[in-house]
Amino acid sequence: MRILKNILLFQKKIFFISYAISILIGILFGGQPKMIGLSFLLIAPFTQYFFYEIKNKNQYYYYYNLGISNVMLWISTFVIGLINLLILMII
């Protein structure tokens, strides 16, 4: 439970910015919920790369000290993107 809470803390910074950009891209390419989900699946990893690989590379140490590896954080970004895509495909 503690690990899930810390992963969600990590994703909080990425999620809202990625979702706002994805909505704009989805509206530009047809406005269907499926397009918003696909664009989120692509934008979220780019946002994570920008925020945590380029801008704040040392922030990974905070999550590493909590017991969460860099790979687990990347996997969580892709899993959240896939869950979001599946939900938006159902709508």
Side-chain angles (χ1 to χ4, degrees):
M1 188 64 163
R2 177 185 59 85
I3 292 176
L4 180 63
K5 183 180 175 183
N6 289 323
I7 286 174
L8 292 176
L9 177 67
F10 174 80
Q11 293 293 332
K12 186 171 83 171
K13 188 174 185 180
I14 296 170
F15 185 78
F16 293 111
I17 294 171
S18 298
Y19 215 80
I21 294 170
S22 298
I23 289 172
L24 291 174
I25 291 173
I27 289 171
L28 288 174
F29 289 105
Q32 298 172 346
K34 183 179 177 181
M35 289 304 296
I36 294 171
L38 284 172
S39 63
F40 183 81
L41 189 61
L42 296 174
I43 295 297
F46 286 119
T47 306
Q48 179 179 347
Y49 180 76
F50 177 73
F51 278 129
Y52 292 106
E53 295 287 340
I54 296 175
K55 189 175 177 188
N56 297 323
K57 193 168 189 173
N58 291 331
Q59 240 181 4
Y60 277 127
Y61 292 120
Y62 173 76
Y63 296 101
Y64 183 75
N65 288 332
L66 293 174
I68 303 171
S69 69
N70 190 4
V71 174
M72 188 181 286
L73 293 172
W74 277 100
I75 290 171
S76 70
T77 300
F78 286 111
V79 168
I80 289 174
L82 286 173
I83 291 170
N84 187 27
L85 177 64
L86 290 174
I87 290 171
L88 289 174
M89 285 178 74
I90 292 172
I91 294 178

